Amino acid sequence: MITPIRCWTCGRPLGHLWEPFKQRVLNGENPEKVLNDLGVTRYCCRRTLLGHIELINQVLEYSRIETE
Ligand SMILES: [Zn+2]
């Protein structure tokens, strides 16, 4: 839902890689090549970026608005 800040398994910081990864994949590059270029070599980290689905904007529509 929220962009993964770190790999769920090994803890490597990944938050700074999400935007470049997303942009390059949306522009038609092969995700495998993008991950190699970004230096994401461990399969746990690759899984974390590949498996992420950005749902935060849809979920925010249903968030509760706090009133006093
Ligand atoms: Zn990892």
Side-chain angles (χ1 to χ4, degrees):
M1 183 187 308
I2 299 174
T3 304
I5 305 302
R6 289 181 173 267
C7 173
W8 299 114
T9 303
C10 72
R12 178 188 169 178
L14 295 174
H16 64 295
L17 298 176
W18 171 249
E19 283 299 325
F21 174 75
K22 185 176 84 172
Q23 286 305 317
R24 289 176 64 176
V25 171
L26 287 176
N27 287 334
E29 286 191 55
N30 185 340
E32 179 184 6
K33 181 183 180 308
V34 176
L35 288 172
N36 290 340
D37 286 351
L38 293 174
V40 182
T41 54
R42 293 181 210 138
Y43 67 82
C44 56
C45 304
R46 295 169 81 93
R47 173 276 326 258
T48 301
L49 283 177
L50 280 172
H52 175 61
I53 301 173
E54 207 166 39
L55 291 176
I56 186 66
N57 290 328
Q58 287 93 320
V59 172
L60 280 176
E61 292 178 22
Y62 302 100
S63 65
R64 177 184 292 177
I65 298 173
E66 297 292 332
T67 57
E68 299 190 29

